[in-house]
Amino acid sequence: MEFTQNAKDPGCGARLGVIQAPHGRVTTPAFMPVGTQGAVKALMPEQVRGLGADIILANTYHLYLRPGHRLIAEMGGLHRFMNWPGPILTDSGGFQIYSLGALRTISEEGVLFQSHVDGSSHFLGPESAVEIQEALGSDIMMCLDECIAYPAGRNEVERALARTARWAARCKKSRTNPDHALFGIVQGGVYPDLRRRGVEEMSTIGFDGYAIGGLSVGEPKDKMLEILSCTAPLLPENRPRYLMGVGTPEDLVEGVFHGIDLFDCVMPTRSARNGLLFTNHEKVVIKNARYRDDGSPVDSECDCYTCQNYSRAYLRHLYMSGEILAMVLNTIHNLRHYLRLMERIRDAIREGRYTGFRNLFLRERPSVVTEEGSVAGIDGGCSPDK
Amino acid sequence: MEFTQNAKDPGCGARLGVIQAPHGRVTTPAFMPVGTQGAVKALMPEQVRGLGADIILANTYHLYLRPGHRLIAEMGGLHRFMNWPGPILTDSGGFQIYSLGALRTISEEGVLFQSHVDGSSHFLGPESAVEIQEALGSDIMMCLDECIAYPAGRNEVERALARTARWAARCKKSRTNPDHALFGIVQGGVYPDLRRRGVEEMSTIGFDGYAIGGLSVGEPKDKMLEILSCTAPLLPENRPRYLMGVGTPEDLVEGVFHGIDLFDCVMPTRSARNGLLFTNHEKVVIKNARYRDDGSPVDSECDCYTCQNYSRAYLRHLYMSGEILAMVLNTIHNLRHYLRLMERIRDAIREGRYTGFRNLFLRERPSVVTEEGSVAGIDGGCSPDK
C-alpha cells in the first residue's frame, strides 16, 4: 500500500492524498460507507461506487460469524463474494466484541465471546484477527485492540492501552502477506498523555497506517474534539490516519482539520433507514406530516438520484408505507450527502482554503445529529448496522 | 388507446400485439410487475424498465387510502410521483375490497369498507373508482367489479355477475376523459355459461379492453384452466385481453395459448422477498443449507444483473443476514425471469411456433409453485404485496 500526499492546507492539518491499495486508489480525505455484513445496506456496489465511494468498510466480527471467513475465501475472497472490486478496509472485530459487554471475557490471549447470532462460543486473538482479515482478502486490516467504554478510570485505560500495544505487536508478527496493509490503533481514552503514549507505542512497532479508536463511545463532543485535536497531529505524517467510527458531517470537517484521512460511520446509512435525511440547511425527518404534500426534493442543492427524481411527498409515502424502496432512496441520498461533502473538503484543501471552508461550515451548519445518531458508534457495536 | 395485432399463432389463440397507451407502447403478451403502493417493491423504476417491463400495475385501493389520489394528482399524477414514465394500469380496488371480508359491506351503490391501515370508513362506488383512477392519471383503468370467493353457489355468482355489469355501465358513463382507457371485467366464477354471459354483457357495453377476473381465488388449477380456456376465446378479438392476478410461469404460458395479452401477479416479487427464486430447472429456496457454499449463480441461463454478478452462496448469506439487498437482488432475478419468459413467448408467436413452445415448456418445467405462491392472488388482496 502506498500513500502519497498531494497537498497540505497552509492553515491547519488538512491534507490531500492518495492511497494506492491492491484493489485501487483512494483519494483522501475519504469517507468509507459501512458494509457490515458484506453489503452496504440497501445498495448495490455499483450504486455505492456511483455515489463517489472509493473504499468501503466491512466487519471482521460479523463476517467471521456469518457466513464465515473460510467460506468467503473459498468463494474467491470478499471482493468477489460481494461484487465490490475496489479497496476494502476491514475492522478487527475489537469494537464489536467490546460492544458485546457481558457476552465476552478478555484475557491477555484474546477475547472469548458468544455469538450474537446463535450464542455459540468463539475466540478471537490478535493472530486470528489477522488470519481472518487475510482470508477475507482485505486491502487494509486493523489490529485487534481493546476498546474501553466512557467513562473509565485512568488505570483501566492505561491497562487496556498497554494490552492494545502488545496485541498490535502480535498482529504485525502474524501477518503472512504484505499485500494486506495493517493499521495500528491508538487507544488511551480521554487522557491526552495516554493518547500520546499510544501514538508512540504504535509508531515504534510501525504500521502502514494509524487509527484513532475509542472515540465517539459516549464521551461529550468537546472531549472527543479535544482528544482528536491533540492526538491526530502526533501520528506519523507520512502514513494515512483513520478516525474510527466517526461521525457527523461536522466531525468529518473537524477530523480533516486536524489531519485525518479516513473516516467510517453508520450514521448516513442507518439514519437513512430511520428516515432522517441530511441536508446542509435543515433536518428532514421524512415521516413528519409537514412533508405530506411537499413536492420539492429532499435537498434542492443535492445532485443525487433521489433528489433528482423524487419529492419529499413521495419519500414520505414510501416510508410510511414501509416500502423497501424508501430505504434504498434514503440511503442513496444520505451517502451522497456524505461523499459530496468529502469532495468539497478535498476541493477546499486542493485550493488551499480549507480553514475558511471549515469555519464557514461549522458556523452555517445546523446540527443534524439526533440522539440516536450521536451515539452511532456505540450502538453500531455488535448490531450489524440495523 | 390503440391496440394492434401483429401476428397470430396458427395453432392456438396466441397473438402478438402492441398497445399504444398515452405513456408509451406495450408489446403484448406482456407481464405487468405489481407496484401496489406506487413502487414495485424494492426496485427503482429504471431497474424495472431495464428488466424489460413496458407497463406496471398500481392499486387504486392502496393509493386511495395512502397517500390519497388527490395528493397524487396535486403532485402531478402517479407517473411523476413515482418516477415511472411508462404506461400504468390501475386496478379498481374491487379485488382488494373483496379481500377485506368482514370489513366491508356491499350494496348496489358500491362498497362501504374500513381501511386496513387505520380502520377509517370509506365508500367506493363505480363512479368514485373511475374518479380516483382518473386522478391518478392511469393509462388503463379497471371497472369496479364484484369478485366472489371460491367456492360460491351459482345464485350468488349470478347475482354478483349482474351487479358487475351494472357497475361496469356506470363506470363507463362516469368517465370524463377518453385518454384513460377503461377495461371491463368478466366475472362468472367457475360456471362457463355465466362467464359467457359476462363476456356478452361487457362487450355489449363496450370497453377498450376486457379482463377476466375472479380466477386464482382458490379454485383448483384445472378449474382455472378450464374457465380460462372457455372464456378467453369469447372476448372481442380486436381488444386487449387481461387475465387478472395470474400467475405462475405455467399460467402465463397457458394464458397466452388461449389468447391473453396482459398479466399481472405479485408472485415474482413476493416470492423473491421470501427467498424463492425461479429458474427453468429447479426451485431455489435460497435459505437452504445446500446453497451455503454454492458459487454458481441462481440460474446459469439467466441474463439478469443478479445472476451475472452474485453466487447463490452470497444471496443465501444476504438472506440469512436479513440484508435489504437480498430483497433487491432476488426481485431483480425473479422479475427478469418472468419478463424474459414473456420475451420468449413473443418470439415464439412471432415465429409461428407458439404451440410447440407451450407444449415443450409445460413438459419440461417443474412446478415452482409453493403453497403460498399458488394462492398469491388471494393473499395479495388487501395486503400491499408484503
Side-chain angles (χ1 to χ4, degrees):
Chain A
M1 192 200 81
E2 298 286 326
F3 177 59
T4 316
Q5 275 184 58
N6 295 323
K8 189 160 179 335
D9 191 83
C12 67
R15 64 238 203 115
L16 189 74
V18 172
I19 295 172
Q20 184 64 53
H23 288 85
R25 289 161 58 93
V26 180
T27 311
T28 60
F31 177 79
M32 303 183 280
V34 175
T36 307
Q37 302 187 114
V40 174
K41 289 197 186 303
L43 297 191
M44 304 187 303
E46 293 83 356
Q47 292 175 313
V48 177
R49 184 72 194 90
L51 293 170
D54 285 344
I55 177 172
I56 62 170
L57 177 142
N59 286 69
T60 293
Y61 167 82
H62 290 286
L63 293 172
Y64 160 76
L65 287 178
R66 186 171 59 191
H69 58 294
R70 290 199 182 85
L71 173 71
I72 291 176
E74 274 172 45
M75 294 290 126
L78 183 57
H79 296 80
R80 181 163 166 202
F81 189 57
M82 69 178 293
N83 186 33
W84 170 265
I88 298 176
L89 181 147
T90 47
D91 73 1
S92 64
F95 183 76
Q96 279 71 35
I97 288 170
Y98 139 82
S99 315
L100 285 170
L103 293 174
R104 51 111 174 97
T105 317
I106 303 181
S107 69
E108 185 61 22
E109 266 316 287
V111 191
L112 194 64
F113 67 97
Q114 281 180 272
S115 161
H116 77 282
V117 177
D118 62 6
S120 55
S121 287
H122 301 266
F123 176 80
L124 186 74
E127 292 78 11
S128 51
V130 168
E131 181 195 336
I132 295 167
Q133 294 178 82
E134 287 188 344
L136 294 175
S138 175
D139 290 78
I140 302 177
M141 309 186 292
M142 300 304 298
C143 286
L144 187 67
D145 61 332
E146 185 175 355
C147 186
I148 297 287
Y150 178 90
R154 185 181 168 89
N155 285 353
E156 193 191 354
V157 172
E158 198 165 5
R159 193 193 41 68
L161 181 69
R163 179 172 281 160
T164 293
R166 293 191 297 272
W167 283 2
R170 284 167 56 189
C171 281
K172 185 174 178 185
K173 198 170 163 201
S174 70
R175 286 171 81 180
T176 67
N177 184 342
D179 285 350
H180 311 286
L182 180 65
F183 281 21
I185 302 175
V186 172
Q187 290 288 347
V190 293
Y191 304 94
D193 64 312
L194 295 185
R195 287 282 173 180
R196 173 180 290 274
R197 190 191 300 172
V199 171
E200 285 162 2
E201 288 169 338
M202 287 299 145
S203 16
T204 302
I205 301 171
F207 289 99
D208 301 306
Y210 298 88
I212 301 176
L215 288 184
S216 275
V217 295
E219 76 284 0
K221 178 72 81 175
D222 57 354
K223 199 52 105 174
M224 193 276 271
L225 291 174
E226 178 200 328
I227 296 299
L228 166 65
S229 67
C230 73
T231 308
L234 304 175
L235 293 168
E237 177 80 13
N238 61 343
R239 296 291 178 189
R241 299 160 171 170
Y242 165 28
L243 180 56
M244 301 182 80
V246 175
T248 65
E250 294 76 12
D251 294 338
L252 304 192
V253 169
E254 285 290 49
V256 169
F257 185 82
H258 294 295
I260 298 294
D261 307 300
L262 291 170
F263 302 88
D264 81 283
C265 192
V266 298
M267 187 176 286
T269 42
R270 180 178 297 162
S271 296
R273 298 195 303 284
N274 290 329
L276 177 69
L277 301 176
F278 287 83
T279 80
N280 291 326
H281 303 291
E282 60 183 324
K283 300 180 200 182
V284 175
V285 179
I286 200 66
K287 74 177 174 191
N288 282 354
R290 58 185 288 207
Y291 302 123
R292 187 185 165 277
D293 58 354
D294 187 339
S296 59
V298 172
D299 181 354
S300 58
E301 297 169 11
C302 180
D303 62 2
C304 84
Y305 167 78
T306 303
C307 288
Q308 297 300 310
N309 291 288
Y310 302 93
S311 62
R312 293 171 172 187
Y314 182 69
L315 295 176
R316 177 175 189 272
H317 166 62
L318 291 184
Y319 188 82
M320 299 302 283
S321 303
E323 286 285 340
I324 294 171
L325 189 58
M327 310 295 155
V328 175
L329 297 181
N330 291 352
T331 302
I332 286 174
H333 171 74
N334 272 1
L335 265 188
R336 180 60 192 150
H337 183 82
Y338 265 64
L339 292 164
R340 197 168 56 109
L341 171 60
M342 300 314 295
E343 291 172 6
R344 291 164 59 208
I345 285 174
R346 292 193 296 266
D347 287 346
I349 303 173
R350 191 177 293 113
E351 294 160 14
R353 54 177 176 79
Y354 187 74
T355 305
F357 172 89
R358 173 251 191 185
N359 292 343
L360 192 65
F361 186 92
L362 297 180
R363 196 162 62 233
E364 293 194 340
R365 180 101 179 176
S367 175
V368 289
V369 184
T370 57
E371 279 314 300
E372 187 203 21
S374 69
V375 292
I378 288 187
D379 64 358
C382 74
S383 140
D385 186 20
K386 279 227 169 99
Chain B
M1 191 200 83
E2 298 285 326
F3 177 59
T4 315
Q5 277 184 57
N6 295 324
K8 188 160 179 337
D9 191 82
C12 67
R15 63 238 203 115
L16 189 73
V18 172
I19 294 172
Q20 184 63 52
H23 288 86
R25 290 160 58 92
V26 180
T27 311
T28 61
F31 177 80
M32 302 183 281
V34 176
T36 308
Q37 302 188 114
V40 174
K41 289 195 185 305
L43 297 191
M44 305 186 303
E46 293 82 356
Q47 291 175 313
V48 177
R49 183 72 194 90
L51 293 170
D54 285 343
I55 177 171
I56 60 169
L57 177 142
N59 286 69
T60 294
Y61 168 82
H62 290 286
L63 294 172
Y64 160 76
L65 287 179
R66 186 172 58 191
H69 59 294
R70 291 200 182 85
L71 173 70
I72 292 176
E74 274 172 45
M75 294 290 126
L78 183 57
H79 296 81
R80 181 161 165 204
F81 189 58
M82 70 179 291
N83 187 33
W84 170 264
I88 298 176
L89 180 146
T90 47
D91 75 0
S92 63
F95 183 76
Q96 279 70 36
I97 288 169
Y98 139 83
S99 314
L100 285 171
L103 293 175
R104 52 110 172 96
T105 317
I106 302 182
S107 69
E108 185 61 22
E109 267 315 288
V111 191
L112 194 65
F113 67 96
Q114 281 182 270
S115 161
H116 76 282
V117 177
D118 62 6
S120 56
S121 288
H122 301 267
F123 176 80
L124 186 73
E127 292 79 10
S128 52
V130 168
E131 182 195 335
I132 295 167
Q133 293 178 83
E134 286 187 345
L136 294 174
S138 175
D139 290 78
I140 302 177
M141 309 187 291
M142 300 304 298
C143 286
L144 187 67
D145 61 331
E146 185 175 354
C147 186
I148 297 287
Y150 177 89
R154 185 182 168 87
N155 286 352
E156 193 191 352
V157 172
E158 199 166 3
R159 192 191 41 67
L161 180 69
R163 178 171 281 160
T164 293
R166 293 191 297 273
W167 283 3
R170 285 166 56 188
C171 281
K172 186 175 178 185
K173 198 171 163 203
S174 70
R175 285 170 83 180
T176 67
N177 183 342
D179 284 351
H180 310 287
L182 181 64
F183 281 21
I185 302 174
V186 172
Q187 291 286 347
V190 294
Y191 302 95
D193 63 313
L194 295 185
R195 287 283 174 181
R196 174 179 290 274
R197 190 191 299 172
V199 171
E200 285 162 2
E201 288 170 338
M202 287 299 146
S203 17
T204 300
I205 300 171
F207 289 100
D208 300 307
Y210 298 88
I212 301 177
L215 288 184
S216 275
V217 294
E219 77 283 0
K221 177 72 81 176
D222 57 354
K223 199 54 105 174
M224 193 277 271
L225 292 174
E226 179 200 327
I227 295 300
L228 167 65
S229 67
C230 72
T231 309
L234 304 175
L235 293 168
E237 177 79 14
N238 61 343
R239 297 290 178 188
R241 299 159 170 171
Y242 164 29
L243 180 56
M244 301 181 80
V246 175
T248 65
E250 294 76 11
D251 293 339
L252 305 191
V253 169
E254 286 289 49
V256 169
F257 185 80
H258 294 296
I260 298 294
D261 306 301
L262 291 170
F263 302 88
D264 80 283
C265 191
V266 297
M267 188 175 286
T269 42
R270 179 178 298 163
S271 296
R273 297 195 304 284
N274 290 330
L276 177 69
L277 302 176
F278 286 84
T279 80
N280 292 325
H281 303 292
E282 60 182 325
K283 302 179 198 182
V284 175
V285 179
I286 200 66
K287 74 177 174 192
N288 281 354
R290 58 186 288 208
Y291 302 123
R292 187 185 167 277
D293 58 355
D294 187 340
S296 59
V298 173
D299 181 355
S300 59
E301 297 169 10
C302 181
D303 61 2
C304 85
Y305 168 79
T306 302
C307 287
Q308 297 301 310
N309 292 288
Y310 302 93
S311 62
R312 293 171 172 186
Y314 182 67
L315 295 176
R316 177 175 188 272
H317 166 61
L318 291 184
Y319 188 82
M320 299 302 283
S321 304
E323 286 285 339
I324 294 171
L325 188 58
M327 310 295 155
V328 175
L329 297 181
N330 291 352
T331 302
I332 285 174
H333 171 73
N334 273 2
L335 265 188
R336 180 60 192 151
H337 183 82
Y338 264 63
L339 292 164
R340 196 167 56 107
L341 171 59
M342 299 314 294
E343 291 172 6
R344 290 163 61 207
I345 285 173
R346 292 193 296 265
D347 287 346
I349 303 173
R350 190 177 293 111
E351 295 160 14
R353 54 177 176 81
Y354 187 73
T355 304
F357 172 88
R358 172 251 191 183
N359 292 343
L360 191 65
F361 186 91
L362 297 180
R363 197 160 62 234
E364 293 194 340
R365 180 99 178 178
S367 175
V368 288
V369 184
T370 57
E371 277 315 299
E372 187 205 20
S374 68
V375 291
I378 288 187
D379 64 359
C382 74
S383 140
D385 187 20
K386 280 228 167 96

